Short mmCIF file of all heavy atoms in Angstrom, two decimals:
data_model
loop_
_atom_site.label_atom_id
_atom_site.label_comp_id
_atom_site.label_asym_id
_atom_site.label_seq_id
_atom_site.Cartn_x
_atom_site.Cartn_y
_atom_site.Cartn_z
N GLY A 1 0.77 -1.22 0.00
CA GLY A 1 0.00 0.00 0.00
C GLY A 1 0.81 1.28 0.00
O GLY A 1 0.31 2.33 -0.39
N THR A 2 2.04 1.21 0.45
CA THR A 2 2.92 2.37 0.50
C THR A 2 4.24 2.04 -0.15
O THR A 2 4.84 1.01 0.15
CB THR A 2 3.14 2.83 1.94
OG1 THR A 2 1.90 3.19 2.54
CG2 THR A 2 4.07 4.04 1.99
N THR A 3 4.70 2.92 -1.02
CA THR A 3 6.02 2.79 -1.63
C THR A 3 6.85 4.01 -1.32
O THR A 3 6.33 5.09 -1.04
CB THR A 3 5.93 2.59 -3.14
OG1 THR A 3 5.20 3.68 -3.73
CG2 THR A 3 5.21 1.29 -3.48
N HIS A 4 8.15 3.85 -1.38
CA HIS A 4 9.08 4.91 -1.05
C HIS A 4 10.25 4.81 -2.02
O HIS A 4 10.85 3.75 -2.16
CB HIS A 4 9.55 4.75 0.40
CG HIS A 4 10.48 5.82 0.87
ND1 HIS A 4 11.25 5.67 2.00
CD2 HIS A 4 10.78 7.03 0.37
CE1 HIS A 4 11.98 6.76 2.18
NE2 HIS A 4 11.70 7.60 1.20
N TYR A 5 10.56 5.93 -2.69
CA TYR A 5 11.62 5.96 -3.69
C TYR A 5 12.66 7.00 -3.36
O TYR A 5 12.35 8.06 -2.82
CB TYR A 5 11.05 6.29 -5.07
CG TYR A 5 10.07 5.28 -5.61
CD1 TYR A 5 8.70 5.44 -5.38
CD2 TYR A 5 10.50 4.20 -6.35
CE1 TYR A 5 7.80 4.52 -5.87
CE2 TYR A 5 9.60 3.27 -6.85
CZ TYR A 5 8.25 3.44 -6.61
OH TYR A 5 7.36 2.52 -7.10
N ALA A 6 13.89 6.68 -3.69
CA ALA A 6 14.91 7.72 -3.70
C ALA A 6 14.52 8.76 -4.74
O ALA A 6 13.93 8.43 -5.77
CB ALA A 6 16.28 7.12 -4.01
N ASP A 7 14.88 10.01 -4.48
CA ASP A 7 14.42 11.10 -5.34
C ASP A 7 14.79 10.92 -6.80
O ASP A 7 13.99 11.22 -7.69
CB ASP A 7 14.97 12.44 -4.84
CG ASP A 7 14.30 12.92 -3.56
OD1 ASP A 7 13.21 12.42 -3.24
OD2 ASP A 7 14.88 13.79 -2.89
N ASP A 8 15.97 10.44 -7.07
CA ASP A 8 16.40 10.29 -8.45
C ASP A 8 15.83 9.06 -9.14
O ASP A 8 16.11 8.82 -10.31
CB ASP A 8 17.93 10.30 -8.55
CG ASP A 8 18.60 9.30 -7.65
OD1 ASP A 8 17.96 8.80 -6.70
OD2 ASP A 8 19.79 9.01 -7.88
N MET A 9 15.02 8.28 -8.43
CA MET A 9 14.37 7.12 -9.02
C MET A 9 12.91 7.38 -9.37
O MET A 9 12.33 6.64 -10.16
CB MET A 9 14.42 5.92 -8.07
CG MET A 9 15.76 5.68 -7.41
SD MET A 9 17.09 5.40 -8.61
CE MET A 9 18.51 5.48 -7.50
N LYS A 10 12.33 8.41 -8.77
CA LYS A 10 10.92 8.69 -8.98
C LYS A 10 10.64 8.97 -10.45
O LYS A 10 11.36 9.72 -11.10
CB LYS A 10 10.49 9.89 -8.14
CG LYS A 10 10.50 9.62 -6.65
CD LYS A 10 10.06 10.86 -5.87
CE LYS A 10 10.06 10.61 -4.38
NZ LYS A 10 9.67 11.81 -3.62
N GLY A 11 9.61 8.33 -10.96
CA GLY A 11 9.23 8.52 -12.34
C GLY A 11 9.90 7.57 -13.31
O GLY A 11 9.46 7.44 -14.46
N ARG A 12 10.97 6.90 -12.87
CA ARG A 12 11.68 5.95 -13.71
C ARG A 12 11.57 4.53 -13.20
O ARG A 12 11.49 3.60 -13.99
CB ARG A 12 13.16 6.32 -13.83
CG ARG A 12 13.43 7.66 -14.48
CD ARG A 12 14.90 7.80 -14.85
NE ARG A 12 15.77 7.66 -13.68
CZ ARG A 12 16.73 6.75 -13.57
NH1 ARG A 12 16.96 5.90 -14.55
NH2 ARG A 12 17.49 6.71 -12.48
N PHE A 13 11.62 4.37 -11.89
CA PHE A 13 11.59 3.04 -11.29
C PHE A 13 10.26 2.81 -10.59
O PHE A 13 9.67 3.74 -10.03
CB PHE A 13 12.70 2.88 -10.26
CG PHE A 13 14.09 2.84 -10.83
CD1 PHE A 13 14.34 3.09 -12.16
CD2 PHE A 13 15.16 2.54 -10.00
CE1 PHE A 13 15.63 3.04 -12.68
CE2 PHE A 13 16.46 2.49 -10.50
CZ PHE A 13 16.70 2.74 -11.83
N THR A 14 9.80 1.58 -10.61
CA THR A 14 8.58 1.20 -9.92
C THR A 14 8.80 -0.09 -9.15
O THR A 14 9.21 -1.08 -9.72
CB THR A 14 7.42 1.02 -10.91
OG1 THR A 14 7.21 2.21 -11.65
CG2 THR A 14 6.13 0.68 -10.15
N ILE A 15 8.52 -0.05 -7.86
CA ILE A 15 8.59 -1.24 -7.04
C ILE A 15 7.19 -1.79 -6.83
O ILE A 15 6.23 -1.03 -6.68
CB ILE A 15 9.28 -0.96 -5.68
CG1 ILE A 15 9.53 -2.27 -4.92
CG2 ILE A 15 8.48 0.03 -4.84
CD1 ILE A 15 10.40 -2.10 -3.68
N SER A 16 7.06 -3.09 -6.85
CA SER A 16 5.78 -3.74 -6.63
C SER A 16 6.02 -5.10 -6.00
O SER A 16 7.16 -5.58 -5.96
CB SER A 16 4.99 -3.87 -7.94
OG SER A 16 5.69 -4.67 -8.87
N ARG A 17 4.97 -5.72 -5.52
CA ARG A 17 5.12 -7.05 -4.94
C ARG A 17 3.90 -7.90 -5.23
O ARG A 17 2.79 -7.38 -5.39
CB ARG A 17 5.38 -6.97 -3.43
CG ARG A 17 4.23 -6.43 -2.60
CD ARG A 17 4.69 -6.13 -1.17
NE ARG A 17 5.14 -7.32 -0.47
CZ ARG A 17 5.93 -7.30 0.61
NH1 ARG A 17 6.37 -6.15 1.10
NH2 ARG A 17 6.27 -8.45 1.19
N ASP A 18 4.12 -9.18 -5.27
CA ASP A 18 3.07 -10.15 -5.44
C ASP A 18 3.22 -11.13 -4.29
O ASP A 18 4.05 -12.04 -4.34
CB ASP A 18 3.18 -10.86 -6.79
CG ASP A 18 2.03 -11.80 -7.06
OD1 ASP A 18 1.31 -12.17 -6.11
OD2 ASP A 18 1.85 -12.19 -8.23
N ASN A 19 2.45 -10.93 -3.25
CA ASN A 19 2.59 -11.76 -2.06
C ASN A 19 2.21 -13.22 -2.29
O ASN A 19 2.71 -14.10 -1.59
CB ASN A 19 1.77 -11.17 -0.90
CG ASN A 19 2.41 -9.91 -0.34
OD1 ASN A 19 3.56 -9.60 -0.63
ND2 ASN A 19 1.65 -9.18 0.45
N ALA A 20 1.34 -13.46 -3.25
CA ALA A 20 0.99 -14.83 -3.57
C ALA A 20 2.18 -15.60 -4.13
O ALA A 20 2.24 -16.82 -4.01
CB ALA A 20 -0.17 -14.87 -4.56
N LYS A 21 3.12 -14.88 -4.74
CA LYS A 21 4.32 -15.50 -5.30
C LYS A 21 5.56 -15.24 -4.44
O LYS A 21 6.66 -15.64 -4.83
CB LYS A 21 4.57 -14.99 -6.71
CG LYS A 21 3.48 -15.33 -7.70
CD LYS A 21 3.81 -14.82 -9.09
CE LYS A 21 2.73 -15.19 -10.09
NZ LYS A 21 3.05 -14.69 -11.45
N ASN A 22 5.39 -14.57 -3.31
CA ASN A 22 6.52 -14.22 -2.44
C ASN A 22 7.62 -13.51 -3.23
O ASN A 22 8.81 -13.80 -3.07
CB ASN A 22 7.09 -15.46 -1.77
CG ASN A 22 6.22 -15.99 -0.65
OD1 ASN A 22 5.11 -15.53 -0.44
ND2 ASN A 22 6.72 -16.97 0.08
N THR A 23 7.22 -12.56 -4.06
CA THR A 23 8.16 -11.92 -4.97
C THR A 23 7.97 -10.41 -4.96
O THR A 23 6.84 -9.92 -4.95
CB THR A 23 7.98 -12.45 -6.39
OG1 THR A 23 8.19 -13.87 -6.39
CG2 THR A 23 8.98 -11.81 -7.34
N VAL A 24 9.09 -9.70 -4.99
CA VAL A 24 9.09 -8.26 -5.15
C VAL A 24 9.79 -7.93 -6.46
O VAL A 24 10.73 -8.63 -6.86
CB VAL A 24 9.76 -7.55 -3.95
CG1 VAL A 24 11.24 -7.90 -3.87
CG2 VAL A 24 9.57 -6.04 -4.05
N TYR A 25 9.33 -6.88 -7.12
CA TYR A 25 9.85 -6.51 -8.43
C TYR A 25 10.37 -5.08 -8.42
O TYR A 25 9.93 -4.24 -7.64
CB TYR A 25 8.75 -6.60 -9.50
CG TYR A 25 8.08 -7.95 -9.58
CD1 TYR A 25 6.90 -8.19 -8.90
CD2 TYR A 25 8.64 -8.98 -10.33
CE1 TYR A 25 6.28 -9.43 -8.97
CE2 TYR A 25 8.03 -10.21 -10.41
CZ TYR A 25 6.85 -10.44 -9.73
OH TYR A 25 6.23 -11.66 -9.81
N LEU A 26 11.28 -4.83 -9.32
CA LEU A 26 11.73 -3.47 -9.57
C LEU A 26 11.77 -3.26 -11.08
O LEU A 26 12.63 -3.82 -11.76
CB LEU A 26 13.12 -3.20 -8.97
CG LEU A 26 13.61 -1.75 -9.12
CD1 LEU A 26 12.77 -0.81 -8.26
CD2 LEU A 26 15.08 -1.64 -8.74
N GLN A 27 10.83 -2.48 -11.58
CA GLN A 27 10.80 -2.12 -12.99
C GLN A 27 11.63 -0.87 -13.17
O GLN A 27 11.34 0.16 -12.56
CB GLN A 27 9.37 -1.89 -13.46
CG GLN A 27 9.25 -1.46 -14.92
CD GLN A 27 9.64 -2.56 -15.88
OE1 GLN A 27 9.23 -3.70 -15.71
NE2 GLN A 27 10.44 -2.22 -16.88
N MET A 28 12.64 -0.93 -14.02
CA MET A 28 13.55 0.17 -14.23
C MET A 28 13.46 0.61 -15.69
O MET A 28 13.74 -0.17 -16.60
CB MET A 28 14.99 -0.23 -13.89
CG MET A 28 15.15 -0.78 -12.47
SD MET A 28 16.88 -1.08 -12.03
CE MET A 28 17.27 -2.41 -13.18
N ASN A 29 13.09 1.86 -15.89
CA ASN A 29 12.95 2.42 -17.23
C ASN A 29 13.89 3.60 -17.40
O ASN A 29 14.39 4.17 -16.44
CB ASN A 29 11.50 2.88 -17.47
CG ASN A 29 10.50 1.76 -17.39
OD1 ASN A 29 10.79 0.63 -17.77
ND2 ASN A 29 9.30 2.06 -16.90
N SER A 30 14.09 3.98 -18.65
CA SER A 30 14.94 5.13 -18.99
C SER A 30 16.28 5.04 -18.29
O SER A 30 16.77 6.02 -17.71
CB SER A 30 14.22 6.43 -18.63
OG SER A 30 12.99 6.55 -19.32
N LEU A 31 16.90 3.91 -18.37
CA LEU A 31 18.16 3.68 -17.68
C LEU A 31 19.29 4.52 -18.27
O LEU A 31 19.34 4.75 -19.48
CB LEU A 31 18.52 2.20 -17.73
CG LEU A 31 17.65 1.30 -16.86
CD1 LEU A 31 17.84 -0.17 -17.27
CD2 LEU A 31 17.99 1.48 -15.38
N THR A 32 20.17 4.95 -17.40
CA THR A 32 21.36 5.69 -17.80
C THR A 32 22.58 5.00 -17.22
O THR A 32 22.49 4.10 -16.38
CB THR A 32 21.32 7.14 -17.31
OG1 THR A 32 21.54 7.19 -15.90
CG2 THR A 32 19.98 7.79 -17.63
#
């Protein structure tokens, strides 16, 4: 329900989780 990002990650990275799969994800876009 709550996510927290470092300032330079906001808008590019997305953290999510699927508790049914015991898995957390990090989607990283616009990589430099």
Side-chain angles (χ1 to χ4, degrees):
T2 299
T3 56
H4 182 196
Y5 297 92
D7 287 342
D8 53 343
M9 315 302 170
K10 293 180 180 178
R12 297 194 302 122
F13 291 8
T14 302
I15 188 170
S16 61
R17 66 192 297 160
D18 185 343
N19 287 347
K21 297 181 179 180
N22 286 8
T23 301
V24 64
Y25 304 95
L26 184 68
Q27 178 68 46
M28 305 186 294
N29 298 326
S30 301
L31 288 165
T32 73

